[in-house]
Amino acid sequence: MNHIKENLMRFLFFTAACISIAAVVLICLFLLANGVPAIREIGLFDFLLGTRWKPANSLYGILPMIVGSVYVTVGALLIGVPIGILTAAFMAHFCPKHLYRPVKAVVNLMAGIPSVVYGFFGLVVLVPFVRDTFGGRGQSVLTASILLGLMILPTVISVSETSIRAVSQSYYEGALALGASHERSVFHAVLPAAKSGIFAAVVLGIGRAVGETMAVKMVAGNQPVIPGDILDGVRTLTTNIVLEMGYSTDLHREALIGTAVVLFVLILIINISLSLFKRRVR
């Protein structure tokens, strides 16, 4: 009887894994089948390196959107990753017991807030703040970076804290035995030992930042031009798709699907590059 149950569970797990793989493969096939012909018709270099996006004039250059996605993602990482890792270290080794539950609840609550709510917060609070403090229209690379930095915090904090807590206590105790203070033991012994998990948290944060749409759409300005500085408006690859897919037809629609192909490849390149870097560090 136990043997039958084991085989049944093995079959269920195998089926679930196959469904997940099939879903990814189908998405890839859909993107390639509908996006690659458009890229071929427009021209690969005209599509990737073109600086003007004017579907009415048959101009489909997505370089401004690629640059915008990179700017916003890098800005979000510069803001969110240091805060997230330090918060995780605080929760794992410095937070008083009576404060841990409320802090953990707030982090979990941040993870459950819908993107449109973050976007509304950015539109009502961050946009006027950036406009009054730094100048410009407020809807800019800086505003989108700050908002995305907040949005990736729950992911970075949760994964980093789990990795820090998974480090053997002997690392911390050994550092103390050698005369290090509590702070030095945490930051010079425990955190380096947890770097693999922290690195995974950063990768997940990058995926969240690159793929975010609605919140960025509400605060970035949505201008299909290469930004001159961080106070200029910007349009990302994701917002370019969502803004125009509703009324696009023919080549325009296929070009938007081609934009999704570029986004997919961009995320794939980022993940592979980070994995190679991780192996090199090891």
Side-chain angles (χ1 to χ4, degrees):
M1 189 66 181
N2 290 332
H3 181 68
I4 296 176
K5 289 182 178 179
E6 289 179 1
N7 289 335
L8 178 61
M9 295 308 298
R10 187 180 293 112
F11 173 76
L12 290 176
F13 294 147
F14 177 75
T15 303
C18 290
I19 291 174
S20 300
I21 295 172
V24 175
V25 171
L26 288 175
I27 292 173
C28 294
L29 291 176
F30 168 78
L31 291 177
L32 294 175
N34 291 274
V36 171
I39 296 175
R40 187 184 299 115
E41 182 176 346
I42 297 168
L44 179 62
F45 292 104
D46 291 336
F47 187 66
L48 294 179
L49 303 179
T51 58
R52 290 193 293 174
W53 177 269
K54 294 183 178 179
N57 298 329
S58 298
L59 296 174
Y60 300 99
I62 64 169
L63 182 61
M65 280 67 82
I66 295 175
V67 173
S69 295
V70 173
Y71 279 8
V72 169
T73 301
V74 171
L77 294 177
L78 291 176
I79 295 170
V81 169
I83 296 175
I85 294 175
L86 291 175
T87 303
F90 169 77
M91 293 175 65
H93 286 282
F94 296 94
C95 184
K97 290 184 177 180
H98 66 278
L99 286 180
Y100 179 79
R101 278 187 146 183
V103 174
K104 185 67 174 179
V106 170
V107 173
N108 292 335
L109 180 62
M110 289 181 65
I113 297 176
S115 297
V116 68
V117 176
Y118 275 109
F120 185 72
F121 167 78
L123 187 63
V124 174
V125 178
L126 293 180
V127 169
F129 171 77
V130 172
R131 181 175 61 239
D132 297 339
T133 305
F134 302 102
R137 297 175 56 249
Q139 293 179 313
S140 61
V141 175
L142 178 61
T143 310
S145 298
I146 294 173
L147 184 61
L148 279 181
L150 293 175
M151 295 180 69
I152 68 174
L153 280 179
T155 301
V156 176
I157 292 172
S158 298
V159 178
S160 297
E161 184 196 357
T162 301
S163 302
I164 293 171
R165 290 188 179 276
V167 174
S168 174
Q169 189 71 9
S170 61
Y171 284 81
Y172 175 74
E173 294 174 351
L176 289 179
L178 292 173
S181 64
H182 174 58
E183 291 78 11
R184 291 183 65 86
S185 298
V186 172
F187 286 100
H188 292 273
V190 178
L191 259 65
K195 63 183 179 182
S196 178
I198 294 174
F199 192 83
V202 174
V203 172
L204 291 174
I206 292 175
R208 175 73 191 273
V210 173
E212 182 54 46
T213 305
M214 186 55 65
V216 176
K217 174 180 176 291
M218 298 174 72
V219 301
N222 303 315
Q223 301 172 18
V225 295
I226 298 177
D229 58 55
I230 61 174
L231 297 179
D232 289 343
V234 69
R235 179 184 291 188
T236 63
L237 291 168
T238 53
T239 56
N240 188 54
I241 296 170
V242 75
L243 282 170
E244 301 184 7
M245 184 58 78
Y247 60 85
S248 61
T249 57
D250 301 328
L251 183 59
H252 183 194
R253 180 178 181 276
E254 294 177 354
L256 292 175
I257 299 176
T259 303
V261 173
V262 173
L263 178 63
F264 179 81
V265 173
L266 179 62
I267 294 176
L268 189 63
I269 291 173
I270 291 173
N271 288 336
I272 293 175
S273 300
L274 291 175
S275 297
L276 294 175
F277 176 76
K278 182 179 177 181
R279 290 181 182 178
R280 186 175 180 182
V281 170
R282 285 181 175 178

